[in-house]
Amino acid sequence: MEHSRSRPLALIVEDDDAVRRSLHLLLRSIDYDVRAYATAARLLASQPLRAARVLLADYRLPDDDGIEVLRRLRTIGWRGRAFLLTGFATPELFERASDCGYEATLEKPIRPCELIRLLRY
């Protein structure tokens, strides 16, 4: 399935079904075309990677972590905006995420208003 040409494409990789679904609905409500995945492997195997403008990645995934996901995307030339999600925030994680290229690290539970503000900036 090809993404909509009129809406920017966002990628979500989050292993928690409820969180993934709520993020999907939130991004759709602010006019993003969304592709959501439960694992890093599925996201990285998907076709619309380069077309995506935004990545929301959970830090702890069953098969990888969000830092490595962004590193892999950057190695294939993806230059979109990236936001790390975590329930395990530490100063070290914030620093690693920033060094890797994440614009922001958001602590769970995600505050929808904060995420929308970041996406619209």
Side-chain angles (χ1 to χ4, degrees), residues 50-112:
R50 288 185 185 232
R53 289 197 194 159
V54 172
L55 169 70
L56 300 179
D58 188 15
Y59 173 61
R60 288 194 178 174
L61 296 165
D63 61 342
D64 216 332
D65 70 51
I67 302 286
E68 190 58 31
V69 168
L70 183 57
R71 283 190 182 128
R72 289 182 185 173
L73 288 173
R74 295 296 193 219
T75 63
I76 64 166
W78 185 77
R79 296 292 172 237
R81 301 175 69 203
F83 302 92
L84 187 66
L85 315 174
T86 186
F88 306 94
T90 65
E92 294 80 17
L93 178 58
F94 279 89
E95 185 175 337
R96 285 183 58 218
S98 178
D99 289 348
C100 180
Y102 279 100
E103 283 187 37
T105 299
L106 303 171
E107 294 183 62
K108 293 179 183 177
I110 304 301
R111 292 184 307 267

Side-chain angles (χ1 to χ4, degrees), residues 8-50:
L9 178 61
L11 303 173
I12 299 169
V13 59
E14 166 62 65
D15 61 321
D16 183 298
D17 293 338
V19 173
R20 187 173 60 252
R21 180 71 178 147
S22 66
L23 290 169
H24 187 276
L25 292 171
L26 177 65
L27 268 61
R28 294 276 314 214
S29 76
I30 59 170
D31 246 5
Y32 277 88
D33 190 14
V34 181
R35 300 290 181 271
Y37 306 90
T39 66
R42 287 198 175 162
L43 172 110
L44 294 168
S46 68
Q47 290 303 313
L49 287 178
R50 288 185 185 232

